[in-house]
Amino acid sequence: MFALFFVWPAAIGLYYSFTSYTGVGPARFVGLDNYTSLFADSSFYAALTRTLLFTLMVVPATYVVSLLSAVLLTSEYTRGKTVARVIFFVPWLISPIVAGVIWRWLFGENFGLVNYLLLQVGLHEVAWQSNGNLSLIIVVIASTWGSTAFTMLLFIAALKSVPKSYYEAAALDGAGPWHKFRYITLPGIAPTSFIVVLLGTIGAMKEYALIQALNGGGPGSENNLIVQYIYRTGFERAQIGYASAASFVLLLILMVIALVQMLVNRRMEANR
Amino acid sequence: MSATTAQRPSPSAQRKAAQRSRRRAEAPRTLGATAVLWLLVVVYGVPVAWFVLSSIKPAGELFSYPLTLFSKQPTLAGYSQAWTQFDFYRYFGNTLLVATITTVLTVIASAAAGYALAKYRSWWLSAFAVCVIATTMLPTEVILSPSFLVVRDLGLYNHLAGVIVPSILTATGVFMFRQFFTTVPDELLEAARIDGSSELQTFFRIMLPISRPIMITLAIFSFQWRWNDYIWPLIVLNDPKQYTLQIALQSIVGAENVNWSVLLGASVISMAPLVLLYLVFQRYVMSADLNAGLKD
């Protein structure tokens, strides 16, 4: 099964990426043509840059917010943790499609709650949908909102496994909360942090449903992400060979990112 | 270090006083931390609350200024309109079928694979383990077009099976089980063998029952993944009769003129089952030690 649905598609995908296959008829071998035209295609670059930009914003945002909420949920100083946990989890349950609808509803230009509130406090309405950068930021917010709970769960498990005696020792040495967090908590959850960043990066690089529901990659095609690009060329324009080439570029990028992160992780562990 | 504190003699009265003063000193901290926590809760909860509250407003009130949080005349018109306008029974049925079958198969396959990886030694098992790690790198989204061709050539295009079969194997599931089964002592396995239990019997009668917490956790996760899946069903299914909930929903979102009151109603209907399911099983999700499965 594994071979059938992962190894085999990968292999024929690699083969088709060298052909001009359109889904029907014979696949004509065209060598590296797909790759050369891909690297000459400005909309491919645009999609790639947008994807990287999106990843660079989502991953740190999710990391910070979910770590903060995990710390607060495991802290002895907070009240009402049970209710808070349930509420934090709801966004994770909501499908990316519905999440897209929710944020579109909040940030609508003529009817959204956010613009209404801005007007109430005497500010101007903001063009959330027709400004490409702003609409990307909304996707970042929505994505962070939706993926916090899962990451938070990983952090909670990690925080619980940091030995309590370290904190007691630090307290005797007169360490403040920030020092404890910086020198005990952060190193203690380092393996989890690594996983979170890795999974987050991979997840963000292949985001599709949320952006599709939120703004359809718009305004125009300004916020098309890489998977959208693959979907459009492969399934709407039936250039399967070309889309396969784009898939492989994405795959290669993911692998490089994963390798770099693993190397950095190893080096950090060696230094400790 | 904690031993030093314990050794220090402290009469109970003194300790109580110390405790009281500590609590007083901690009061601002409790207040601060709780405030931050609840601020976050509000930030996370408001979008959903606003959305659900809007869904019970009559269509005319949706856009009338000034906006109000609670509707003056709450109505379920959006819901009934959405329910009659769309084939919800069918979409629910399709999605439920896909999510349930995939979940059951995922749990069984992951348990079997995880058990094998934890308890048997052979070269091809190690090779398989490496391959499973590689699948986390190689998600279906990345090899969309080739995966589509495989499904089409197998004759699964436009069948719900085309959605189900490729998504059964998940690396997360396999590793969750592997991690759990490595903690099960080998003696248990040997005792069963000595008693004349076959390998399959041991697996089904002993190993599966003791891994119940993992099974439930993975089942909830898998169900959520499949219920919310969008891009893969979108590619495999072409016939509206086969549509899952998410694709059907997206077809309303993508319409030129969005009918918000229908869309809001339909969205709330589509997320309700999962939220209910979660509320029932949430204690299992919360106690899940996910790291066990992911750390390796």
Side-chain angles (χ1 to χ4, degrees):
Chain A
M1 190 125 83
F2 169 75
L4 187 61
F5 291 107
F6 290 101
V7 180
W8 181 234
I12 62 166
L14 190 60
Y15 170 69
Y16 280 132
S17 71
F18 296 114
T19 67
S20 62
Y21 193 51
T22 55
V24 284
R28 198 166 54 83
F29 193 77
V30 293
L32 287 172
D33 274 10
N34 282 330
Y35 289 93
T36 45
S37 48
L38 193 61
F39 285 116
D41 186 353
S42 63
S43 57
F44 173 71
Y45 278 114
L48 197 60
T49 345
R50 274 306 192 190
T51 314
L52 291 176
L53 192 63
F54 171 71
T55 309
L56 281 177
M57 291 196 279
V58 164
V59 176
T62 312
Y63 183 92
V64 171
V65 181
S66 38
L67 183 56
L68 177 64
S69 50
V71 168
L72 289 170
L73 282 181
T74 48
S75 156
E76 50 180 311
Y77 298 117
T78 46
R79 301 284 170 268
K81 283 187 275 240
T82 327
V83 184
R85 266 189 336 199
V86 172
I87 293 176
F88 276 135
F89 247 91
V90 173
W92 180 73
L93 293 168
I94 293 172
S95 79
I97 297 291
V98 179
V101 176
I102 293 182
W103 289 91
R104 209 164 129 173
W105 178 236
L106 277 173
F107 282 92
E109 279 180 13
N110 302 318
F111 53 86
L113 178 66
V114 176
N115 266 354
Y116 174 73
L117 292 177
L118 284 180
L119 277 181
Q120 291 309 91
V121 294
L123 294 167
H124 288 288
E125 288 181 334
V126 176
W128 299 111
Q129 300 291 334
S130 40
N131 179 319
N133 292 328
L134 284 176
S135 64
L136 184 68
I137 286 176
I138 295 170
V139 182
V140 171
I141 297 174
S143 175
T144 309
W145 177 80
S147 52
T148 297
F150 186 76
T151 317
M152 182 186 84
L153 202 61
L154 295 178
F155 276 132
I156 288 178
L159 288 172
K160 279 183 184 160
S161 65
V162 178
K164 285 235 163 38
S165 55
Y166 290 4
Y167 292 108
E168 285 159 12
L172 286 182
D173 291 344
W178 171 248
H179 274 84
K180 282 191 214 164
F181 179 76
R182 173 69 189 80
Y183 294 105
I184 303 173
T185 314
L186 273 186
I189 60 167
T192 306
S193 295
F194 169 65
I195 297 278
V196 162
V197 173
L198 186 64
L199 290 180
T201 312
I202 294 174
M205 292 286 290
K206 60 194 180 88
E207 183 59 77
Y208 176 76
L210 178 68
I211 200 160
Q212 189 67 26
L214 216 146
N215 55 27
S221 59
E222 215 178 312
N223 283 321
N224 270 344
L225 298 189
I226 192 85
V227 176
Q228 245 154 339
Y229 182 83
I230 295 173
Y231 180 80
R232 288 209 169 155
T233 49
F235 296 92
E236 283 176 9
R237 289 195 233 133
Q239 297 169 324
I240 289 190
Y242 192 69
S244 298
S247 303
F248 272 87
V249 174
L250 173 58
L251 186 61
L252 217 64
I253 296 171
L254 280 184
M255 279 170 147
V256 169
I257 291 177
L259 274 178
V260 168
Q261 291 188 348
M262 274 177 196
L263 283 178
V264 171
N265 187 43
R266 197 160 294 168
R267 180 156 306 165
M268 273 165 61
E269 272 181 5
N271 281 347
R272 209 175 296 141
Chain B
M1 280 291 182
S2 56
T4 31
T5 19
Q7 275 163 13
R8 204 175 294 153
S10 62
S12 72
Q14 208 177 332
R15 197 165 51 207
K16 242 176 222 161
Q19 222 169 45
R20 212 175 303 131
S21 75
R22 212 186 82 187
R23 201 167 292 157
R24 206 172 304 138
E26 279 169 357
R29 202 189 255 186
T30 308
L31 208 68
T34 310
V36 176
L37 176 71
W38 280 91
L39 188 72
L40 265 180
V41 167
V42 168
V43 169
Y44 272 77
V46 159
V48 186
W50 172 245
F51 184 68
V52 174
L53 285 173
S54 298
S55 75
I56 53 169
K57 288 180 185 169
E61 211 181 305
L62 278 178
F63 305 104
S64 65
Y65 273 39
L67 294 175
T68 44
L69 193 53
F70 295 99
S71 173
K72 281 176 223 99
Q73 301 148 304
T75 163
L76 293 177
Y79 290 88
S80 60
Q81 220 179 324
W83 188 266
T84 46
Q85 199 172 331
F86 294 93
D87 227 347
F88 262 109
Y89 280 117
R90 194 187 290 279
Y91 303 143
F92 262 120
N94 286 342
T95 316
L96 195 66
L97 197 73
V98 167
T100 316
I101 296 179
T102 317
T103 299
V104 170
L105 293 177
T106 300
V107 170
I108 295 174
S110 307
Y115 179 65
L117 288 179
K119 289 295 175 210
Y120 297 99
R121 298 270 159 270
S122 87
W123 66 268
W124 66 267
L125 274 177
S126 334
F128 179 72
V130 173
C131 289
V132 172
I133 297 172
T135 58
T136 40
M137 305 274 99
L138 195 83
T140 352
E141 283 92 337
V142 176
I143 45 169
L144 273 183
S145 9
S147 307
F148 166 72
L149 294 177
V150 169
V151 166
R152 192 194 62 185
D153 294 343
L154 287 171
L156 295 178
Y157 180 62
N158 226 345
H159 285 286
L160 288 179
V163 181
I164 295 170
V165 182
S167 32
I168 290 173
L169 198 68
T170 70
T172 317
V174 173
F175 281 108
M176 276 165 77
F177 273 104
R178 195 201 85 111
Q179 214 63 24
F180 172 78
F181 282 126
T182 34
T183 64
V184 175
D186 282 341
E187 286 80 21
L188 191 65
L189 195 65
E190 271 148 35
R193 279 186 190 144
I194 291 167
D195 287 344
S197 147
S198 77
E199 296 295 304
L200 271 181
Q201 260 180 337
T202 319
F203 177 65
F204 281 109
R205 294 261 175 83
I206 302 171
M207 294 303 166
L208 273 189
I210 54 174
S211 65
R212 232 186 87 204
I214 310 283
M215 288 171 74
I216 295 174
T217 315
L218 179 61
I220 297 168
F221 277 98
S222 168
F223 198 85
Q224 189 263 2
W225 292 330
R226 295 315 144 218
W227 188 272
N228 290 342
D229 231 2
Y230 171 66
I231 189 166
W232 186 243
L234 174 71
I235 286 169
V236 175
L237 306 172
N238 190 32
D239 179 3
K241 281 187 183 145
Q242 303 281 327
Y243 275 4
T244 57
L245 212 46
Q246 306 301 333
I247 309 181
L249 209 56
Q250 173 61 23
S251 68
I252 320 178
V253 184
E256 276 300 309
N257 266 317
V258 180
N259 184 342
W260 275 100
S261 98
V262 171
L263 181 57
L264 294 175
S267 304
V268 175
I269 296 177
S270 84
M271 69 191 210
L274 209 56
V275 173
L276 288 179
L277 196 78
Y278 171 74
L279 288 178
V280 174
F281 287 107
Q282 57 106 2
R283 66 202 176 95
Y284 290 102
V285 179
M286 271 307 168
S287 61
D289 188 5
L290 279 172
N291 272 23
L294 291 167
K295 219 177 259 171
D296 214 327

